[in-house]
Amino acid sequence: MRVVLAEDLFLLRDGLVRLLEAYGFEIAAAVESGSELTRALAELTPDVAVVDVRLPPTHTDEGLQCALAARRARPGLPVLVLSQHVEQLYARELLADGAGGIGYLLKDRVFDAEQFVDAVRRVAAGGTAMDPQVIQQLLARSSAEDRPLGRLTPREREVLELMAQGRSNAGIAAQLVVTERAVAKHTSNIFGKLGLEVSDDDNRRVLAVLAYLDGGPR
């Protein structure tokens, strides 16, 4: 699996290269600026891009904007964005096209190698990987104004949070130490209470839940 990596800090960039290579990824390019990222994504057609939000020359959201532009040029290009802090705007921009193959993680997650690599693989496969802190903020904001969320049981809220992170029923079951059948029942109840269309497609349901949390009641 070929990766284009964009990170301006040399030590972190070098560490990510070594980590990904240790897990069998091929690093097509490891760059440090927005212009280099744009060129690499256009010329190398990677399987996935792992991109720091803040890159030279602006050090604002240069990396994110380069990645979004590349997705517009090549719809469905898998992009995993790394950020130092939770910014809901970044998550909103990533989700705007309603397609999969996107992820948004805090850089702290990189230090959990298996969790980080799982996120890269999930995004590369067309799935979604959203940082738990992003989901918690969306849930907290939505809960204050959304009566349907208040009807969820504590267990259903746990399942909803894991679902929004991009976990499959099997992944949720393993995390909560319950059966997949129990998770399927909880997800059905969640979709019914939130008025969302039930789907067996893991990524489609993740995007539906994220859109709900980001936009409030439909």
Side-chain angles (χ1 to χ4, degrees):
M1 188 179 298
R2 300 174 73 248
V3 181
V4 164
L5 171 67
E7 166 58 55
D8 65 320
L9 297 178
F10 171 77
L11 288 179
L12 181 55
R13 185 171 68 251
D14 185 62
L16 288 172
V17 167
R18 293 172 184 271
L19 171 61
L20 290 169
E21 287 181 336
Y23 278 84
F25 293 90
E26 176 189 345
I27 306 301
V31 302
E32 60 180 334
S33 70
S35 59
E36 290 175 309
L37 174 60
T38 297
R39 185 164 55 251
L41 292 178
E43 296 176 356
L44 300 176
T45 59
D47 297 305
V48 61
V50 179
V51 178
D52 184 7
V53 167
R54 301 177 186 273
L55 291 175
T58 67
H59 287 288
T60 55
D61 62 349
E62 185 87 359
L64 174 65
Q65 295 308 321
C66 289
L68 292 175
R71 269 179 74 93
R72 288 191 291 271
R74 179 187 159 192
L77 170 67
V79 173
L80 175 61
V81 168
L82 302 178
S83 177
Q84 195 70 41
H85 308 287
V86 174
E87 291 285 352
Q88 291 183 26
L89 176 61
Y90 299 157
R92 188 175 299 117
E93 290 192 69
L94 282 169
L95 295 166
D97 64 6
I102 55 97
Y104 175 31
L105 294 182
L106 293 181
K107 286 188 175 181
D108 288 350
R109 308 294 172 193
V110 172
F111 298 108
D112 185 329
E114 291 189 0
Q115 184 182 46
F116 173 65
V117 169
D118 174 67
V120 176
R121 287 178 174 153
R122 204 183 324 155
V123 169
T128 307
M130 301 301 290
D131 196 279
Q133 288 192 34
V134 175
I135 303 306
Q136 288 168 9
Q137 286 199 15
L138 290 175
L139 273 169
R141 190 193 69 183
S142 298
S143 295
E145 58 192 32
D146 186 1
R147 294 180 64 186
L149 277 176
R151 294 201 295 267
L152 299 183
T153 66
R155 176 61 87 185
E156 287 168 354
R157 287 181 67 89
E158 287 181 307
V159 171
L160 176 66
E161 185 171 340
L162 291 169
M163 190 194 311
Q165 290 173 26
R167 302 289 178 181
S168 64
N169 277 5
I172 295 171
Q175 181 76 22
L176 299 180
V177 196
V178 297
T179 65
E180 286 190 51
R181 184 175 180 179
V183 173
K185 181 177 179 181
H186 287 313
T187 57
S188 179
N189 290 341
I190 290 166
F191 273 71
K193 291 177 181 180
L194 299 185
L196 297 172
E197 182 180 349
V198 177
S199 174
D200 292 328
D201 183 285
D202 285 338
N203 196 57
R204 189 179 299 275
R205 70 180 190 171
V206 168
L207 292 171
V209 169
L210 287 170
Y212 184 93
L213 294 176
D214 190 43
R218 295 294 185 267

